[in-house]
Every structure is written in C-alpha cells, then in structure tokens.
Amino acid sequence: MVKAYLRYEAASSFGVISSLDSNIAYDSTGKHVLAPALEKVGIWHVRQGVCTKTLTPSSSRGGPSLAVTSIATSASNLVAVGYADGSIRIWDSEKGTCESVLNSHKGAVTALRYSKTGSMLASGSKDNDVILWDVVAETGLFRLRGHRDQVTDLVFLDSGKKLVSSSKDKFLRVWDLETQHCMQIISGHHSEVWSVDADPEERYVVTGSADPELRFYVVKQDLPDSNANESKTNEEHSTGNKWEILKPFGEIQRQTKERVARVRYNVSGNLLACQMAGKTIEIFRVLDEAEAKKKAKRRLHRKEKKTSKVADENANGEASAKIEQADAVSSLTVPDIFKLLQVIRAGRKISSFSFCPMASKESLGTLALSLNNNSLEFYSLKSSENEKTVAIEHQGHRSDVRSVALSEDNTLLMSTSHSEVKIWNPSTGSCLRTIDSGYGLCSLIVPQNKYGIVGTKRGVLEIIDIGSATKVEEVEAHGGTIWSIAPIPNDNGFVTVSADHEVKFWEYQVKQKSGQATKQLTVSNTRSMKMNDDVLAVAISPDAKHIAVALLDSTVKVFYMDSLKFYLSLYGHKLPVMSIDISSDGELIVTGSQDKNLKIWGLDFGDCHKSIFAHGDSVLGVKFVRNTHYLFSIGKDRLVKYWDADKFELLLTLEGHHAEIWCLAVSNRGDFLVTGSHDRSMRRWDRSEEPFFLEEEKEKRLEELFESEIDNAADDRHGPMEEIPEEGAAALAGKKTIQTLSDTDSIVEALDVAEDENNRFATYEEEKTKGKVPEYLPNAVMHGLSPSEYVLKAISNVKTNDLEQALLALAFSDALKLLCYMKDWSLIPDKVEMVCRISTILLQIHHNQLVTTPSARPVLTVLRDILYSKIKACKDTIGFNLAAMDHVKQMMASRSDAPFKDAKAKLMEIRSQQAKRMASRADTKMEKKRKKKQKKTEEGHGHALF
C-alpha cells in the first residue's frame, strides 16, 4: 500500500514591521501608513501603533521572488504594489482585497506612480522599461523603451499627458503619452539619477543623484490663448525648441556626501524633502512667489551695496543704473525659492519616508520614516526644529532572529536577537514581552513557562522572568560563545556547549537572594566535560542515556550521560556539523553540516544509514518530529525541507523566507513548527489534514522545474538583445507567461469543440431533410451552451491584461475562426468593448494575411459595418451619462453651501492679491527712501569737495 503523508503549509509570518526593499506610503486619509513586510504590506494605524490589516498575495510560491519592491497610493482606496517577480497587484486598502494582477515586467518593479485622477498607473522596472496601465480596464496600454538601465522613479506632468522617468543610466526622459514617444532626453548628471518629483502646481521638477547638488528644472507651461502674443515674444527671446519641456533652472548644494535616495514634495507643495542613503533627510521650504521676489530683491540690494562701495562717484551712478535695469529683467534663482529649513537625523539608516497628506495646525507637516532596523518613526516638523512623536518598533526585532524556543505546552514562543529577547503568542503572532539582553544565540523555556534561559555570544547565561519581563540574573558560564543549549529530559537541568571547548551540565535552583522579597530561579554548574576543540552543537537522547556533541573538527562524539564515558564517534562530514538531533525512540541521530549534507546514523552502532545532499548551502538546523522518524532541516538557501528518515526521501520543500534561516522549533505534537531568519521574520508552518503521496510530489516538482525553464525561455535572457532607438520607442505592454500559453490553449480547444459541434449539427440537419433520424443530442462538454457562447466563455475567462498575449500566440486559421464569431457577440451590449478590442488586436497581428485571404473579406466587411455603429452607440451612452451626472452635481451644489465655499475661496484670492499689492507698494516706498538717502550722501560729498 502507498504511504500517505500530511502536508505542512505556511500559516503566518510575523516579526517584520518594515523591510528594506520598498518605500513606505501614507494612505489617502493620513491615518494609516503602508509598510512593506517582505511579501506582505502591513497597514499600520499611526496613533495606535497597531497593524490593522495585511495585504498578502495568494500565491503558492513564496520567497524572494514575491518581495514587495514598490508601493504607490492613489486619491481613492486603491493601492498599487510592485513585486520582485515583475507583477503589480492593485489592492483595496479598506477591504484588504486584491482587485487585479498586472503582469508584464520581466524584472522587479522599482517605481510606481498614479496620475492625479488615479485612472492611469505608470510602472518602471529593472528590465529598463516603463509601462503605462489603464487601472479601470485593468490592462497595459503600452511599453516605453529607451532607458539603458534600471528605471528608478516616475512623475506625471501636464495633467497626465506627459511622463518624466529617471534611470541609473544617468538620463531623464520626458515621454509624450499621447504620441507614445520620447520628447526630450536630459543629460548633465554625472552619476545615477535615483529620484525625481514635481511640485503639485507642476512648476519645478527636482532630481536627486550621487552628485553633490540637487538639480531643478522649470516645466514649460502651456499658455492660454490670451497670452499668445506674450508667448510669441518670449519664443523670440528664448533659444530652446518647442520640444523642450524641462529647462535647467539651477542647483542647490546638499549638506552631506551620501547619494540621494528619494526626493518628494508634500501635498500642498510648500515643503520638499530630500532623503540621503544614510541617516539624514534635508527639509527645504518652498517660498511662494511674493516671498521669493522679496528675497531676490534683498539679494540684488546687497549686490548693489557691494558695488557702490567699490566704485567711485561717477561709476557708482552707472552701477546703480545697471543694477536697477537688472532688477527689472531679473529672474528668480533656485536659492530664492528653496530655503533649507532643517535636517532630520535618525538613529539608524533611513530606508524610506513619506509625507502625511493631511495638514496639521500645530506643525508644518508630518513625516513617516522607515529605518533599516525594522522600525517606523514619525516626526512632526516645526518651523525651526523637528520632534519625534511616535515610534513603531515593539512588534519586531531590530536585527536577525538567531534562536527560537517553544514552551512545553506550545503556548509561548521565545526568540532572541542581538540586543533583546521577545516572547510571542505563536498562534496569533503578537508580541507579549520584550526584554533587553545580550546577543542571544540559543535559548530554552524552563518547564512551567515562568522563566527562559538565553545563551549569549559573550559566554553569559541570562535568566529571564517571563511574567515580569525582567532579566533576573546573568551567570558567567563559559569563556567563549555559547553555541547550543539542550534540556535534559525528565530532569531538573540543561546542558550548554561553547567555543571554550567545554560541555557544562546545569541544574535549576530556586533561591531567595539578599535584598529580594521573592524566591527567584538560579542555575548552578554540576558537571563539566573538556573537549579537544570548539563544541558547536549538542543533543541528548529522550531516555537521557546518551549525549552527542558536534566539534569544530567535523566529527560528532557520543558519550554516556551518567558516566560521561566515550561511546561512539561519527565521522564523514567534510565541514563542521552545525546541528544534531536524536529521534524519540533513540534509534536514529541526524546531523546537518556546512558541507550542505544531512547524514542519518544509527545510534546503536554509529553506522551511517544515508548521506543526503540536502540544501544548496550550509545546513543550519535539523529537528525530528516527536514520536516519528520524520525530520525538518533548514539552511542558508532559505528553504525548509521535510524528510522521511526511514525511506531517505524528500517529502516537502517549504519556501517563504527571504534570507538564510538560522533556527527552528517543532511543537511537541508535531502540528506546527516555527522558523526564524536573517530577514527578521518568524514563520509558522501548520500541519494540514490534506494527505499527499510521494510520487505525486515528485511529479509536481518536475512540473515546476519544467515551467521555470519555459519562463526562462520566454524571458530569453541569453538571446541577442534587440537594439533600442536612442529617442525611445513604444512596444506591446504584455509578457508571455505560462498563464498566457494555457489561455491560448483553452481558446484553441474551445474553437475546435465549437467547430465540431457546428459540423455535427449541420450533418444532422442535412440527414433530417432526407429522412427520419434519431433526436439530436448536444455535446455534454459544452454544458448546454451554443458553440458561440462556449467560445465566448473561454475568451471571457482570460484576464484582460493577458488577452493580447493569448491572441498573439493564435495561428492564423484559429484567428479567422474567432473573427467569425464577432458578429454574434457584438449584439450583446456588455461585450461590445471586448469585441472591438479582439478585432483590433487580430487585425494588427494578421493584417497582411487577412487582406490577401478571399475567405476573410466577407467577415471583415460585416465587422466594418457593425462595429462602428455599435461603438458610436456606446460612446453616446457614456457621454449622455456623464452629462447627466454633471447636471446632478450642479443641482446638488446649488442646494448646498457650495456658493459660500466659492465665495470664501474668492475672498481669500482677493486678500492674497491685496497683500501682494501692499508688499509691492512697500517695496517702492523703500526704493524711494533709498534713492533719497543716496542723493543726500552724494550732495554731502559734493559740499565736502567744495
């Protein structure tokens, strides 16, 4: 009989607040921050410091290929998230559901930006391409090619008609989205351009690179007709051409030498933040026009004073006249508009930042920072200083998780890191306690769940009181790093091994020390054993008869527990053994080594039953499931593997971690296990009730290998790269994947089934006219649908984003069959848009063959007559509905207090104009006074001469 096993599946991951690969972003309300957490996005309530929702992709494959690499929020609830495998998922942040998946990039998505209306999304990737997406239709519009390296940032201009992209190839490109071509290439940067942004009014574009300055560009504005004459005169003076959208405006020197990581304006446009690739963010205040002009005049006045001191009387008059002339025609410079307000210095390196979209009365703005130590910080910006208001750091470790230990009843989980110990609820993933500690490399929870023992890098044993979250005692246990700790079964103690060549046996004692009101746990050393080399791992058999220790010389020594006499030596590994475990019945011992191998030994004679090449890198942990010969192994290759130690077969491979896995703990019942990793996450894997068979799992692994080869062939990484024209070009937005190939197969299959059904029905009708025939039975495969409906169902099942690539793979004969169904489908009002899209795509692909094929002409003639009228009817309906909604909006506005709002806005506008007028009058008065004063001094000089 074939043996069945129960499957282990990823249940939850916890411990990550913010990962490093992506930016953070506020939602539209300003109450929540979206932070990347490896493959998930956590939505954190800023004031409460609680993760309210997580956006988790439902994919069978996890791991680094699904890491979040970019986040963009729109004015609505929609959030676009880019992943390392090139896919983009559109999420509803309120419901926490995935609305659509857009998959066309061949590399990780590095930049995302919504247009102001939120109907379009631009994405940039490591494949050097920019793709424009229609968010409403959930499809890619076109691909913009031209950059020679990774696209780093994007920004829309001119109401979404133009797009500026920055890249590591040191160039900015301005794209016209209506004509789908590159209008302008901007050079001048001496290093990679990492970020670009435009202010809300689209006057200035700022770029950041590794150069010591921030560069600013003026955006060419489309002037209204009333200013046509002025624009003509300006064009006569200007030397630039009409395609020059961005003109260099100036530079500002930065305060630090690190490269720029990100530049962003706030929503109102009065603040500009520049994040460095270190611990600082420079905040600039953007002065309005009146303030900037005042500043420019003061600068000119100072310049005039300097010249007046140097020049003599006659020359002075000429200089002042020149400066007045310059004042008249002077234009503003970058330092006149952008003034350094303050510098935020964080305690750790900053990964990303985001401005709060909602304005605050107490401060100029609020800034959220994600740091590289897995925490979020929030700063309130005042006029001259900044204040840290909130920090979210409780729910995760500051560095990688080095050890995990479960309590006997599996209700508590203890994890250690370089500076703290955390106690978790493994079922909910919530952090219950945090205790400061040394660099903990191994740990265990004492029976009854009151205390925890931590072995540190300094050789100190720390005793933790779990209830009060305090460190009770530090015991100087070893002269070197404590590498491993193991409880003694059915006994009152544990064993530690260290780099000082010693194995020490400890027992628990409860004592009341002087000055303490209650009795506390302490430990005392009962026995010790000196070895010839560093001891890296220890395991004790469940009957407490044998103790096995792994040494730095790649051997494992087994001793009797009671007498500590030598029993067995297990040798065969080429590199040091990192982990050991003994099965519950004491028959098997398994060792995992840096040589990437697992070895299964018999504990009776010390013979090696099997040596298995288990992982792609060092094996860091092995653990038997209690009362079985099944075991788990973890490695630096980021994988958890499940083995049958009797059959020496790999049962399951569990993917999910994004970095090397340091530790694991299996529950007493074997119903779940917890792993801790360098990516700072802990993951719980639960045993499900779903059985699986070994042969099926092997077949599945082979299929996955085959599919990955198809993906690689589709990417054609090693094939010749096509030459991209210098000015940039547009291409198809789609990408060939396994999904698009299977969609094509399903369409071809549906067409064949429908054709057979049509032929069968035609034969039946022909025979019916000749004589009596049996009753016609429709094809059961078609589920009672007509041939046209059956093909339509197959087409409708294809995702809108994959439709183009699915049709691209169709043969001409199948494309012609598909066009024949278009007439029937165009009569369905809901399907008119899809019919037009399919017809257009097929005409573009097979144009030459369709034109030269006589049988295609009747079909094309019918489509020409039908489609135009149907599309016009749809357009008219949409236009009518838009006009009706506009009318309803006007009616609602007339009934509400909207006129008063408009009046208030008008009043504010009049007041601001009045303030500007008053400021200009004050300036002219100051100018007159200055001239009078100058005249008096000149007269005084004249009298003195006479």
Side-chain angles (χ1 to χ4, degrees):
M1 188 178 169
V2 181
K3 187 170 184 180
Y5 302 88
L6 290 177
R7 189 180 296 280
Y8 281 83
E9 291 174 339
S12 65
S13 70
F14 49 93
V16 180
I17 297 166
S18 177
S19 49
L20 308 177
D21 296 331
S22 171
N23 61 299
I24 59 169
Y26 269 98
D27 70 344
S28 54
T29 62
K31 292 177 181 177
H32 300 90
V33 163
L34 289 91
L38 304 177
E39 75 278 5
K40 300 192 294 187
V41 175
I43 302 175
W44 293 86
H45 194 287
V46 177
R47 288 200 175 169
Q48 295 173 1
V50 176
C51 186
T52 54
K53 282 188 197 75
T54 52
L55 311 178
T56 311
S58 56
S59 175
S60 56
R61 296 197 68 174
S65 63
L66 262 183
V68 174
T69 52
S70 188
I71 299 171
T73 53
S74 65
S76 63
N77 298 327
L78 293 182
V79 177
V81 181
Y83 295 85
D85 63 353
S87 63
I88 300 165
R89 286 172 173 78
I90 310 295
W91 297 86
D92 187 317
S93 59
E94 267 195 13
K95 297 176 188 171
T97 54
C98 182
E99 299 295 309
S100 60
V101 181
L102 312 172
N103 196 356
S104 285
H105 281 295
K106 293 171 186 173
V109 179
T110 51
L112 286 171
R113 187 74 76 115
Y114 273 102
S115 62
K116 279 187 179 176
T117 55
S119 60
M120 280 199 299
L121 175 72
S123 65
S125 166
K126 280 187 178 176
D127 62 8
N128 312 347
D129 293 348
V130 176
I131 296 180
L132 204 75
W133 305 89
D134 185 337
V135 178
V136 180
E138 299 177 4
T139 183
L141 298 175
F142 48 85
R143 183 189 298 264
L144 299 170
R145 315 186 75 178
H147 281 297
R148 296 301 200 273
D149 208 335
Q150 172 186 323
V151 179
T152 53
D153 210 351
L154 300 160
V155 62
F156 281 97
L157 292 178
D158 192 14
S159 306
K161 292 176 186 172
K162 293 176 182 66
L163 182 74
V164 181
S165 61
S166 65
S167 168
K168 284 170 79 172
D169 63 7
K170 306 179 188 177
F171 293 106
L172 284 180
R173 283 178 177 264
V174 183
W175 306 87
D176 188 326
L177 301 179
E178 290 177 335
T179 58
Q180 301 177 19
H181 81 286
C182 181
M183 299 177 68
Q184 188 183 0
I185 302 172
I186 299 158
S187 58
H189 294 89
H190 304 299
S191 57
E192 295 100 334
V193 186
W194 286 98
S195 190
V196 61
D197 199 24
D199 64 323
E201 293 175 6
E202 295 180 2
R203 291 178 302 163
Y204 306 109
V205 165
V206 58
T207 62
S209 65
D211 300 350
E213 62 276 323
L214 286 175
R215 294 174 193 268
F216 290 84
Y217 299 87
V218 176
V219 182
K220 180 184 172 186
Q221 301 289 341
D222 291 337
L223 295 170
D225 294 337
S226 58
N227 296 340
N229 296 327
E230 285 179 40
S231 66
K232 279 178 188 174
T233 55
N234 289 344
E235 272 179 32
E236 286 170 18
H237 289 299
S238 67
T239 55
N241 60 17
K242 63 177 181 177
W243 302 112
E244 202 173 54
I245 301 299
L246 300 182
K247 293 182 181 178
F249 182 42
E251 300 166 349
I252 287 185
Q253 291 294 318
R254 297 191 282 110
Q255 304 292 306
T256 53
K257 291 180 181 177
E258 292 121 338
R259 72 166 177 85
V260 173
R262 190 175 172 83
V263 288
R264 284 291 181 269
Y265 286 91
N266 67 345
V267 175
S268 57
N270 64 339
L271 292 175
L272 169 68
C274 170
Q275 176 209 337
M276 310 306 164
K279 299 179 181 180
T280 57
I281 292 182
E282 292 175 12
I283 308 291
F284 294 89
R285 183 153 173 264
V286 185
L287 305 179
D288 60 26
E289 203 173 339
E291 287 176 311
K293 280 180 180 175
K294 275 185 187 177
K295 197 174 176 184
K297 280 182 181 176
R298 285 199 296 272
R299 175 170 53 79
L300 290 166
H301 184 53
R302 285 197 297 273
K303 196 174 177 183
E304 183 188 341
K305 271 188 176 179
K306 280 182 186 176
T307 51
S308 63
K309 283 178 185 176
V310 175
D312 56 25
E313 182 191 335
N314 297 329
N316 187 19
E318 289 171 19
S320 62
K322 278 180 187 175
I323 285 165
E324 279 174 28
Q325 192 180 354
D327 193 6
V329 297
S330 71
S331 58
L332 299 172
T333 61
V334 173
D336 294 335
I337 299 169
F338 298 91
K339 176 188 173 185
L340 182 66
L341 189 67
Q342 55 189 264
V343 178
I344 296 175
R345 286 182 172 82
R348 291 297 295 267
K349 191 177 175 184
I350 300 166
S351 298
S352 174
F353 77 92
S354 179
F355 271 113
C356 180
M358 307 308 290
S360 171
K361 290 179 182 178
E362 299 92 31
S363 62
L364 293 171
T366 306
L367 208 62
L369 311 185
S370 72
L371 306 184
N372 76 340
N373 67 345
N374 193 26
S375 64
L376 295 172
E377 289 183 352
F378 298 86
Y379 286 82
S380 179
L381 304 177
K382 306 286 169 63
S383 55
S384 59
E385 59 181 12
N386 56 73
E387 180 191 359
K388 186 161 85 170
T389 52
V390 185
I392 298 173
E393 56 187 11
H394 181 58
Q395 289 292 328
H397 281 288
R398 304 284 73 75
S399 68
D400 46 348
V401 181
R402 289 310 299 259
S403 80
V404 287
L406 282 164
S407 61
E408 278 194 333
D409 57 0
N410 304 324
T411 56
L412 293 179
L413 172 73
M414 182 163 74
S415 63
T416 66
S417 180
H418 85 299
S419 61
E420 58 194 4
V421 174
K422 285 186 179 284
I423 309 296
W424 306 82
N425 181 338
S427 55
T428 62
S430 57
C431 182
L432 308 175
R433 304 275 189 278
T434 302
I435 307 107
D436 291 332
S437 75
Y439 200 143
L441 294 175
C442 53
S443 58
L444 66 86
I445 295 177
V446 177
Q448 296 176 0
N449 301 357
K450 289 185 178 178
Y451 296 95
I453 310 287
V454 177
T456 65
K457 200 173 182 179
R458 288 193 301 116
V460 174
L461 276 176
E462 296 180 344
I463 302 171
I464 307 293
D465 186 330
I466 294 172
S468 62
T470 54
K471 194 192 297 179
V472 176
E473 190 182 1
E474 287 188 356
V475 179
E476 295 289 340
H478 287 274
T481 304
I482 301 174
W483 286 116
S484 184
I485 187 167
I488 301 171
N490 309 319
D491 196 10
N492 190 28
F494 59 93
V495 179
T496 57
V497 297
S498 166
D500 65 357
H501 302 189
E502 283 201 294
V503 180
K504 290 193 175 182
F505 295 78
W506 305 82
E507 69 173 19
Y508 304 123
Q509 293 176 343
V510 180
K511 289 182 179 177
Q512 186 170 347
K513 291 186 178 177
S514 56
Q516 288 183 342
T518 56
K519 289 182 178 181
Q520 296 283 9
L521 181 79
T522 183
V523 294
S524 63
N525 184 15
T526 55
R527 291 187 293 172
S528 59
M529 184 168 55
K530 191 78 175 175
M531 307 304 292
N532 300 327
D533 218 331
D534 290 18
V535 190
L536 301 177
V538 62
I540 300 167
S541 61
D543 58 3
K545 191 177 177 183
H546 301 108
I547 178 169
V549 291
L551 304 179
L552 194 61
D553 63 3
S554 308
T555 63
V556 175
K557 300 276 194 290
V558 185
F559 299 89
Y560 289 103
M561 270 286 284
D562 49 4
S563 62
L564 298 185
K565 283 185 178 178
F566 177 76
Y567 172 51
L568 289 171
S569 179
L570 312 177
Y571 54 89
H573 282 292
K574 294 180 178 70
L575 289 171
V577 173
M578 302 301 293
S579 181
I580 320 170
D581 198 30
I582 298 172
S583 62
S584 302
D585 56 9
E587 286 183 11
L588 299 178
I589 178 169
V590 64
T591 55
S593 165
Q594 284 184 7
D595 62 11
K596 309 175 188 177
N597 287 324
L598 274 182
K599 286 186 188 288
I600 299 163
W601 317 75
L603 199 55
D604 44 4
F605 302 109
D607 56 322
C608 181
H609 290 185
K610 188 75 173 176
S611 180
I612 305 167
F613 181 72
H615 287 268
D617 209 329
S618 302
V619 182
L620 296 175
V622 288
K623 208 83 178 170
F624 275 104
V625 178
R626 185 178 279 190
N627 300 326
T628 70
H629 282 183
Y630 306 144
L631 65 99
F632 287 97
S633 67
I634 55 170
K636 273 191 175 179
D637 60 357
R638 309 165 179 173
L639 301 176
V640 181
K641 294 194 174 184
Y642 185 38
W643 305 86
D644 186 336
D646 290 330
K647 292 186 175 180
F648 318 121
E649 290 279 8
L650 172 64
L651 303 178
L652 286 176
T653 301
L654 305 175
E655 295 179 75
H657 279 291
H658 294 235
E660 54 263 37
I661 307 169
W662 290 120
C663 49
L664 85 158
V666 182
S667 69
N668 289 336
R669 294 191 298 275
D671 55 343
F672 72 92
L673 72 146
V674 178
T675 52
S677 167
H678 183 71
D679 61 18
R680 296 169 189 172
S681 74
M682 279 158 284
R683 292 176 187 265
R684 199 180 88 240
W685 314 83
D686 284 0
R687 186 173 63 201
S688 65
E689 294 301 314
E690 181 196 345
F692 70 92
F693 301 98
L694 198 56
E695 290 304 316
E696 284 180 6
E697 208 60 30
K698 281 182 181 175
E699 281 177 24
K700 195 187 285 186
R701 280 199 289 274
L702 284 169
E703 278 175 20
E704 283 176 5
L705 190 68
F706 174 66
E707 284 180 8
S708 66
E709 283 175 5
I710 290 176
D711 277 339
N712 291 341
D715 290 352
D716 198 16
R717 292 190 181 95
H718 306 294
M721 290 291 288
E722 59 181 289
E723 191 61 34
I724 300 164
E726 185 61 39
E727 70 278 3
L732 288 177
K735 178 179 80 170
K736 189 191 284 186
T737 60
I738 298 290
Q739 185 61 45
T740 58
L741 291 174
S742 63
D743 287 339
T744 305
D745 289 344
S746 65
I747 293 168
V748 171
E749 190 184 341
L751 286 168
D752 290 344
V753 170
E755 188 181 20
D756 290 345
E757 184 69 6
N758 282 329
N759 292 339
R760 204 161 66 86
F761 189 72
T763 309
Y764 168 76
E765 288 293 325
E766 194 180 326
E767 288 177 358
K768 194 177 177 183
T769 53
K770 291 178 183 177
K772 202 172 185 183
V773 289
E775 192 180 341
Y776 179 77
L777 294 171
N779 192 344
V781 174
M782 296 173 66
H783 304 293
L785 299 172
S786 68
S788 174
E789 288 169 347
Y790 185 67
V791 178
L792 179 61
K793 186 184 177 185
I795 286 277
S796 302
N797 288 338
V798 180
K799 290 178 182 175
T800 50
N801 185 42
D802 295 338
L803 186 61
E804 199 164 8
Q805 285 294 325
L807 295 175
L808 200 62
L810 278 180
F812 175 69
S813 57
D814 292 320
L816 197 57
K817 288 177 195 172
L818 196 59
L819 281 171
C820 296
Y821 291 107
M822 294 296 145
K823 183 187 174 185
D824 296 340
W825 296 350
S826 63
L827 301 173
I828 307 167
D830 296 347
K831 302 296 178 185
V832 171
E833 188 184 344
M834 189 186 78
V835 166
C836 289
R837 193 171 169 223
I838 293 169
S839 304
T840 309
I841 292 167
L842 292 177
L843 281 167
Q844 285 174 341
I845 297 166
H846 302 288
H847 179 265
N848 293 340
Q849 280 177 288
L850 284 167
V851 169
T852 54
T853 306
S855 59
R857 284 174 194 166
V859 178
L860 294 175
T861 309
V862 169
L863 286 176
R864 185 192 63 189
D865 297 338
I866 290 174
L867 290 184
Y868 181 76
S869 58
K870 292 287 180 186
I871 279 290
K872 193 175 182 302
C874 278
K875 194 178 173 184
D876 291 344
T877 307
I878 292 165
F880 180 83
N881 289 341
L882 281 170
M885 283 192 283
D886 198 34
H887 178 65
V888 170
K889 186 181 172 184
Q890 286 175 7
M891 285 176 67
M892 287 176 73
S894 64
R895 290 175 189 173
S896 66
D897 61 344
F900 299 105
K901 285 180 184 174
D902 293 342
K904 190 180 178 183
K906 192 73 178 170
L907 184 66
M908 294 299 286
E909 191 182 330
I910 292 164
R911 280 181 180 170
S912 66
Q913 286 174 357
Q914 205 170 356
K916 283 178 186 175
R917 226 175 280 131
M918 293 293 284
S920 62
R921 279 179 193 170
D923 287 343
T924 50
K925 281 180 183 178
M926 289 282 286
E927 193 68 27
K928 282 176 184 177
K929 281 181 183 178
R930 186 176 57 75
K931 283 181 180 177
K932 276 183 183 178
K933 203 175 184 183
Q934 196 175 335
K935 206 171 183 181
K936 281 179 183 178
T937 51
E938 282 173 11
E939 284 172 4
H941 279 301
H943 288 304
L945 285 167
F946 287 117

